[in-house]
């Protein structure tokens, strides 16, 4: 992967995006918890959080992060930008540990490290992006049979999740809400890529908004984002933030890179060694996420056994009627 000025700009924007998005998870979670005390929780279908300023602060942070991410796709290939979302896992997990008291076990920390190592492997071996000079070129890629089939499969899966699995397993299985966000997210990124290219070319003097294709991509981004926001709120209000972030990241990354591979045929210019290295990166990320998921409650259990303000020596003493957990 050549280090061009565009790639550097894309990397800086992607890292900034991850910091804002990782922080937004925490702020929105606090807003959702506060709103839940005043009305119906988001996880139960309520929308009280729309009246909570703290939730909107988190939403603004996420919007800023998404704008930075949006701009990054205009400069760098999706297969380079998307894996950098792993940084948001670290940000949200660390903040959740200190701000939300969702304790992260040492194996959870190891899971985060594995996610970062896998992402680095992917970034270092990312393929070169095809040169795009018009939104019409992106539209041509998007209307190829392969990507049309992919889009239909994604929409069918989302419909099945929403109408069949959400009522039954939405509140007990994290994968349902996060799956909807991730599947729709892959279509969002492809459309965001088109919009980013359109803006970049327009600012350079070639107006792309005279083409109807640009507005179609804009509509797709709007609809997909609304779906993602709605179901991400439900996931945040129902499950542990430190687990949502990595699971969402891994699923989103896999589907986004798969969509990019089908749409832009990114890996045609790569040799077997590069492809195998990227696959190893994916496996490393999946291993980290699995470890994080399996140990998600170990930190909280340890915290219950040994309260934060109680010393190990004090824990050996007999309990008294006024002693207890300092939560």
């Amino acid at each position: 992967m050549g280090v061009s000025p565009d790639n550097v700009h894309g990397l800086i924007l992607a890292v900034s995006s991850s910091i804002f998005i990782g922080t937004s998870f925490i702020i929105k979670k606090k807003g959702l918890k506060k709103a839940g005390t005043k009305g119906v929780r988001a996880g139960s279908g309520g929308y009280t959080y729309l009246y909570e300023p703290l939730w909107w602060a988190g939403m603004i942070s996420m919007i800023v992060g998404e704008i930075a991410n949006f701009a990054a796709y205009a400069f760098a290939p999706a297969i380079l930008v998307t894996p950098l979302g792993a940084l948001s896992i670290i940000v949200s997990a660390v903040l959740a540990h200190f701000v939300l008291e969702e304790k992260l076990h040492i194996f959870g920390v190891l899971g985060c490290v594995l996610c970062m190592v896998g992402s680095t492997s992917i970034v270092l071996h990312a393929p070169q992006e095809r040169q795009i000079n018009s939104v019409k070129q992106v539209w041509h890629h998007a209307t190829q049979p392969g990507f049309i089939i992919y889009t239909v499969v994604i929409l069918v899966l989302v419909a099945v999740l929403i109408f069949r699995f959400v009522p039954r397993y939405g509140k007990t299985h994290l994968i349902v809400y996060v799956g909807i966000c991730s599947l729709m997210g892959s279509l969002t990124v492809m459309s965001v890529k088109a919009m980013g290219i359109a803006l970049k070319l327009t600012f350079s003097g070639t107006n792309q908004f005279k083409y109807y294709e640009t507005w179609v991509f804009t509509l797709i981004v709007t609809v997909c984002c609304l779906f993602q926001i709605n179901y991400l709120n439900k996931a945040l209000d129902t499950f542990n933030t430190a687990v949502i972030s990595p699971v969402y990241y891994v699923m989103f990354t896999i589907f986004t890179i798969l969509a990019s591979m089908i749409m832009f045929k990114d890996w045609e210019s790569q040799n077997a060694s590069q492809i195998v290295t990227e696959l190893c990166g994916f496996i490393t990320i999946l291993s980290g996420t699995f470890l994080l998921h399996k140990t998600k409650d170990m930190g909280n259990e340890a915290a219950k056994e040994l309260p934060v303000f109680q010393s190990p020596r004090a824990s050996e003493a007999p309990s008294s009627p006024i002693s207890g957990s300092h939560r």
Side-chain angles (χ1 to χ4, degrees):
M1 180 187 68
V3 183
S4 65
D6 278 355
N7 278 345
V8 172
H9 294 152
L11 286 170
I12 293 174
L13 288 167
V15 171
S16 301
S17 168
S18 294
I19 294 173
F20 277 106
I21 291 175
T23 304
S24 75
F25 276 102
I26 307 304
I27 301 175
K28 288 174 68 178
K29 180 64 177 282
K30 288 185 70 68
L32 288 168
K33 291 174 68 175
K34 188 174 180 180
T37 63
K38 302 176 183 178
V40 181
R41 295 167 59 91
S44 300
Y47 295 93
T48 312
Y49 61 84
L50 292 175
Y51 302 97
E52 177 54 51
L54 194 59
W55 182 85
W56 281 107
M59 193 64 201
I60 290 173
S61 177
M62 177 167 279
I63 290 172
V64 171
E66 292 296 351
I67 290 174
N69 197 49
F70 176 96
Y73 282 110
F75 290 96
I79 201 167
L80 170 62
V81 175
T82 305
L84 291 178
L87 180 59
S88 66
I89 298 174
I90 307 302
V91 173
S92 61
V94 171
L95 290 179
H97 178 84
F98 291 105
V99 178
L100 300 179
E101 296 186 1
E102 295 179 356
K103 302 304 178 182
L104 191 63
H105 192 269
I106 185 63
F107 289 115
V109 175
L110 178 59
C112 289
V113 172
L114 287 174
C115 289
M116 289 298 297
V117 171
S119 297
T120 301
S121 176
I122 293 174
V123 169
L124 292 177
H125 297 86
Q128 291 286 352
E129 186 180 33
R130 292 172 179 270
Q131 186 67 31
I132 304 293
N133 299 311
S134 171
V135 170
K136 285 187 171 293
Q137 283 182 259
V138 183
W139 182 260
H140 173 73
H141 290 303
T143 52
Q144 291 295 304
F147 192 73
I148 291 177
I149 292 173
Y150 174 82
T151 302
V152 171
V153 171
I154 292 297
L155 293 178
V156 170
L157 288 175
V158 168
V160 171
L161 286 173
I162 291 175
F163 296 110
R164 183 174 178 81
F165 288 94
V166 166
R168 298 183 180 182
Y169 308 110
K171 295 181 181 180
T172 57
H173 291 71
L174 172 69
I175 201 72
V176 176
Y177 289 145
V178 175
I180 294 171
C181 295
S182 303
L183 290 167
M184 295 299 289
S186 67
L187 299 181
T188 303
V189 169
M190 295 302 101
S191 298
V192 163
K193 179 74 177 175
M195 290 179 61
I197 291 173
L199 287 171
K200 181 181 178 182
L201 292 174
T202 298
F203 289 145
S204 65
T206 307
N207 183 20
Q208 299 296 303
F209 287 88
K210 62 184 179 180
Y211 304 124
Y212 78 89
E213 291 89 347
T214 303
W215 297 103
V216 172
F217 284 126
T218 302
L219 178 62
I220 293 173
V221 169
T222 303
V223 173
C224 290
C225 283
L226 289 176
F227 267 93
Q228 288 178 257
I229 291 171
N230 182 44
Y231 286 98
L232 183 57
N233 282 332
K234 292 179 182 294
L236 283 172
D237 195 45
T238 308
F239 303 99
N240 192 313
T241 309
V243 180
I244 292 174
S245 296
V247 173
Y248 178 40
Y249 161 74
V250 169
M251 292 186 66
F252 173 76
T253 300
I254 289 175
F255 285 118
T256 296
I257 294 180
L258 178 61
S260 180
M261 179 180 68
I262 294 173
M263 184 169 171
F264 294 106
K265 298 179 176 61
D266 289 324
W267 289 356
E268 282 188 345
S269 61
Q270 289 190 297
N271 57 41
S273 176
Q274 291 174 306
I275 293 174
V276 169
T277 303
E278 289 184 357
L279 290 176
C280 289
F282 276 122
I283 293 173
T284 304
I285 292 174
L286 290 174
S287 300
T289 304
F290 176 78
L291 187 60
L292 233 174
H293 181 70
K294 295 299 289 184
T295 61
K296 66 180 184 297
D297 296 322
M298 292 177 67
N300 291 327
E301 290 172 1
K304 289 178 181 179
E305 294 174 1
L306 182 62
V308 176
F309 298 109
Q310 184 175 330
S311 66
R313 185 175 297 279
S315 67
E316 298 173 2
S319 60
S320 65
I322 60 173
S323 66
S325 176
H326 296 266
R327 287 181 65 84

